């Protein structure tokens, strides 16, 4: 069966973009593919973190992944730091990617150039090698990711091919896939930029744990335009198109069809808000249930990590023996 892997960093409460652009698709795919999903806690160490916080966020994210519908009996949900093969293959991948390739990563360039005073860790630079290890350890065929991560999947492919040509066919070369709809949910207050964790605090972003009143208010205050027509045209009407995109994604329709049902912005905003509230209500209820029982969450993560470890250990052995490292 085709194997799918995608991971997510435990960097705080998820938002609507994460759900519509990623989590929802993972839930669907788990029945068609063999799925692995890592909570990549080691990746969140590229910037300094307060002691204890990563663990709390890992639990909260695990609860959210199960709440949105990942089934621990079907998909393998694991914690990256519980599977020691990740940093071990990560080192081999650091030695299989070049300084030049890593320097060309847009995300690194953005982050490193942002401030002269900010601490730029070595991990921020080598992070794509760890991400390559995340993917390659599971003989992954497909990696569903947003556009911003395509470059990292590309460097993973190059590293796998380079490894195979140095040491013989060992690693499966993965492909990046982009979900059909909801791939880019924009900020409700600034519809030309992506809804993101860094704008999480303001009115433009819908947190997955926001209550109904907050969601309704944020949608009603969403930025539109003065054209007074409901059309799906992301170039000219970015705000309205984003609302259409959200409503279409939540109700499984296409944005242009949704547009034909509206003539005014008020009802569109109200319906988009109501649809999101209805979608999130059962997820929030399950999340709260799961968060009440940390030992059950720990047990579920233990099952996932054991399964992940089994697969990852086999791949790492293959890699070590292809290189010809002396067996332990
Ligand atoms: P991040 O929040 O950047 O760690 O992303 C976690 C996952 O959510 C990735 O697969 C992203 O591609 C996806 N994602 C993040 N922001 C958005 C957004 N605004 N619209 C759609 N997908 C998103
Ligand atoms: N780099 C990804 C992000 O910032 C998270 C990630 C880490 C990932 N390892 C991965 C995504 C492996 C897909 C596959 O969102």
């Amino acid at each position: 069966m085709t194997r799918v892997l995608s991971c997510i960093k435990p960097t705080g409460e998820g938002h609507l973009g994460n759900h519509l652009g990623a989590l929802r698709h993972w839930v669907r795919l788990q029945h068609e593919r063999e799925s692995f999903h890592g909570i990549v806690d080691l990746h969140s160490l590229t910037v300094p973190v307060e002691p204890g916080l990563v663990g709390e966020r890992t639990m909260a994210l695990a609860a959210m992944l199960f709440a949105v519908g990942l089934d621990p009996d079907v998909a393998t949900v694991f914690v990256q730091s519980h599977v020691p093969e990740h940093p071990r293959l990560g080192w081999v991948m650091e030695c299989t990617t070049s300084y030049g390739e890593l320097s060309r990563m847009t995300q690194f360039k953005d982050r490193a150039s942002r401030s002269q005073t900010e601490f730029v860790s070595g991990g921020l630079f080598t992070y794509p090698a760890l991400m390559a290890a995340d993917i390659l350890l599971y003989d992954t065929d497909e990696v569903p990711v947003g556009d911003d991560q395509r470059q990292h999947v590309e460097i993973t492919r190059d590293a796998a091919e380079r490894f195979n040509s140095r040491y013989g066919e060992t690693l499966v070369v993965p492909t990046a896939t982009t979900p059909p709809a909801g791939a880019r949910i924009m900020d409700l207050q600034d519809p030309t930029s992506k809804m993101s964790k860094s704008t999480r605090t303001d009115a433009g972003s819908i947190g997955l744990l926001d209550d109904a009143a907050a969601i309704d208010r944020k949608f009603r205050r969403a930025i539109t335009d003065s054209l007074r027509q409901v059309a799906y045209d992301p170039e000219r009407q970015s705000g309205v198109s984003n609302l259409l995109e959200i409503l279409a994604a939540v109700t499984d329709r296409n944005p242009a069809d949704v547009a034909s049902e509206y003539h005014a912005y008020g009802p569109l905003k109200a319906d988009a808000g109501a649809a999101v509230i209805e979608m999130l209500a059962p997820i929030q209820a399950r999340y709260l249930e799961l968060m009440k029982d940390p030992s059950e969450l720990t047990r579920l993560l233990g099952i996932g990590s054991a399964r992940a470890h089994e697969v990852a250990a086999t791949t790492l052995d293959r890699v070590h023996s292809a290189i010809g490292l002396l067996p332990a």
Side-chain angles (χ1 to χ4, degrees):
M1 200 184 331
T2 306
R3 203 175 264 179
V4 162
L5 172 136
S6 196
C7 302
I8 185 164
K9 275 188 287 193
T11 41
E13 188 195 329
H15 55 75
L16 185 64
N18 295 135
H19 184 60
L20 295 180
L23 307 186
R24 200 168 65 115
H25 301 287
W26 299 0
V27 172
R28 280 191 194 167
L29 279 172
Q30 71 183 332
H31 301 295
E32 299 157 21
R33 310 272 204 273
E34 191 184 357
S35 300
F36 286 81
H37 296 293
I39 300 176
V40 286
D41 50 354
L42 298 175
H43 280 290
S44 50
L45 308 185
T46 53
V47 293
V49 288
E50 210 180 291
L53 191 61
V54 183
E56 277 170 32
R57 288 181 166 172
T58 299
M59 287 292 265
L61 182 55
M64 187 50 81
L65 294 182
F66 295 127
V68 297
L70 284 177
D71 178 346
D73 291 329
V74 177
T76 301
V77 177
F78 64 94
V79 177
Q80 185 189 31
S81 66
H82 294 177
V83 184
E85 287 75 16
H86 286 254
R88 294 179 68 195
L89 185 64
W91 173 253
V92 176
M93 287 300 122
E94 281 186 45
C95 300
T96 315
T97 45
S98 73
Y99 182 81
E101 280 170 329
L102 292 168
S103 311
R104 283 194 292 277
M105 293 295 112
T106 321
Q107 202 176 45
F108 172 74
K109 288 195 285 189
D110 285 353
R111 302 276 289 277
S113 68
R114 222 176 279 168
S115 162
Q116 302 296 333
T117 51
E118 218 174 276
F119 177 77
V120 178
S121 70
L124 200 57
F125 182 67
T126 57
Y127 138 109
L130 184 57
M131 175 159 164
D134 300 338
I135 297 170
L136 298 172
L137 276 173
Y138 299 92
D139 291 336
T140 303
D141 302 296
E142 295 176 357
V143 190
V145 283
D147 290 343
D148 57 327
Q149 294 298 321
R150 285 194 158 253
Q151 205 184 18
H152 295 148
V153 179
E154 220 29 67
I155 203 174
T156 302
R157 290 169 57 85
D158 292 344
E161 281 166 1
R162 186 173 298 130
F163 187 94
N164 288 344
S165 77
R166 281 184 188 166
Y167 300 111
E169 273 319 299
T170 311
L171 296 168
V172 173
V173 181
T175 316
T177 58
T178 307
R184 241 171 113 78
I185 300 300
M186 311 308 274
D187 189 286
L188 298 180
Q189 289 298 317
D190 173 12
T192 57
S193 45
K194 248 176 76 161
M195 189 177 285
S196 85
K197 278 172 187 160
S198 41
T199 56
R200 247 313 280 132
T201 46
D202 68 50
S205 175
I206 305 288
L208 294 178
L209 299 175
D210 279 359
D211 63 30
I215 297 173
D216 182 64
R217 189 174 60 244
K218 288 179 187 182
F219 272 97
R220 286 182 195 277
R221 292 182 186 164
I223 297 291
T224 50
D225 52 54
S226 52
L227 294 177
R228 295 167 158 274
Q229 56 172 28
V230 179
Y232 184 65
D233 181 351
E235 289 290 308
R236 291 179 56 234
Q237 294 191 263
S238 56
V240 171
S241 299
N242 189 38
L243 293 171
L244 290 167
E245 184 107 34
I246 292 170
L247 183 51
V250 174
T251 55
D252 266 322
R253 285 179 294 167
N254 101 32
D257 290 348
V258 176
S260 68
E261 291 169 16
Y262 291 91
H263 304 287
Y265 298 160
L268 171 63
K269 291 178 173 183
D271 287 0
V276 169
I277 291 168
E278 193 185 318
M279 173 184 72
L280 291 181
I283 294 175
Q284 294 178 346
R286 280 196 297 271
Y287 173 86
L288 293 175
E289 266 318 293
L290 285 156
M291 285 299 278
K292 275 194 220 148
D293 194 352
S295 60
E296 174 61 6
L297 268 180
T298 305
R299 188 185 71 85
L300 294 177
L301 289 175
I303 294 171
S305 299
R307 163 95 186 105
H309 176 65
E310 217 174 276
V311 178
T314 314
T315 312
L316 188 70
D317 273 351
R318 221 166 61 220
V319 165
H320 281 183
S321 88
I323 299 171
L325 293 174
L326 201 60

